[in-house]
């Protein structure tokens, strides 16, 4: 069902400090930075091999990531798997009875199409599926 891990999502309170760690200390290339207003986050993508790390800083305390930080503090937020056809994947997950947060895809960063599965259905791991805008990247 899933092609590979697309990215690991990390919730951060201080985006610049996190970028310094990943970019300067770890030597990962920062490849994209985008504010996604509808998801209430500023997101940064860094390359690690063919995969990515996604740093997420909330735009405010009442956003999903803001609430996550208030409850759990900074750290691992979600894992994202890459799929070739997100509509087909969502249909297959629904057919399997998997509880979803997003019944239909929404627009993610870099024009990707994304949907979240409910952590109650995924063993407590917030899980995202990603169909890249222009094939695997
Ligand atoms: Co993500």
């Amino acid at each position: 069902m899933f092609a590979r891990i697309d990215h690991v999502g990390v919730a951060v309170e201080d985006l610049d400090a996190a970028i310094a760690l990943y970019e300067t200390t770890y030597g990962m290339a920062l490849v994209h930075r985008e504010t996604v207003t509808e998801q209430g986050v500023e997101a940064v993508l860094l390359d690690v091999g063919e995969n990515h790390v996604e740093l997420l800083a909330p735009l405010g305390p009442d956003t999903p990531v803001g609430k996550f930080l208030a409850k759990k503090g900074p750290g691992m937020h979600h894992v994202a798997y890459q799929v070739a056809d997100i509509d087909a994947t969502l249909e297959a997950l629904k057919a399997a009875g998997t509880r979803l947060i997003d019944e239909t895809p929404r627009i993610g960063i870099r024009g990707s199409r994304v949907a979240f599965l409910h952590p109650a259905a995924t063993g407590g791991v917030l899980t995202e599926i990603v169909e890249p805008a222009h094939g695997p990247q």
Side-chain angles (χ1 to χ4, degrees), residues 97-101 116-127:
T98 306
R99 189 171 163 195
L100 305 172
I101 292 176
F116 280 90
L117 282 53
H118 198 284
T122 57
V125 179
L126 181 58
T127 301

Side-chain angles (χ1 to χ4, degrees), residues 13-30:
E13 286 173 341
D14 184 335
L15 194 52
D16 290 329
I19 289 169
L21 174 66
Y22 283 81
E23 190 177 37
T24 307
T25 306
Y26 294 167
M28 294 183 190
L30 195 163

Side-chain angles (χ1 to χ4, degrees), residues 101-116:
I101 292 176
D102 300 306
E103 295 280 333
T104 55
R106 49 178 147 137
I107 301 301
I109 61 175
R110 289 204 293 191
S112 59
R113 298 170 72 220
V114 306
F116 280 90

Side-chain angles (χ1 to χ4, degrees), residues 16-80:
D16 290 329
I19 289 169
L21 174 66
Y22 283 81
E23 190 177 37
T24 307
T25 306
Y26 294 167
M28 294 183 190
L30 195 163
V31 292
H32 189 74
R33 184 169 185 159
E34 179 174 341
T35 298
V36 187
T37 309
E38 68 174 27
Q39 292 184 31
V41 293
E42 184 170 7
V44 166
L45 270 189
L46 301 107
D47 273 350
V48 52
E50 63 176 12
N51 311 103
H52 312 285
V53 172
E54 180 183 70
L55 305 176
L56 300 166
L59 298 180
D62 290 331
T63 61
V65 174
K67 291 174 187 168
F68 176 93
L69 286 172
K71 192 172 168 187
K72 298 186 175 173
M76 278 288 305
H77 184 260
H78 66 272
V79 61

Side-chain angles (χ1 to χ4, degrees), residues 1-3 81-93 105 113-115 129-132 135-136:
M1 177 171 275
F2 302 146
Y81 296 102
Q82 197 171 101
V83 300
D85 182 341
I86 196 169
D87 300 297
T89 303
L90 282 174
E91 285 310 312
L93 288 165
R113 298 170 72 220
V114 306
I129 54 176
V130 180
E131 180 189 302

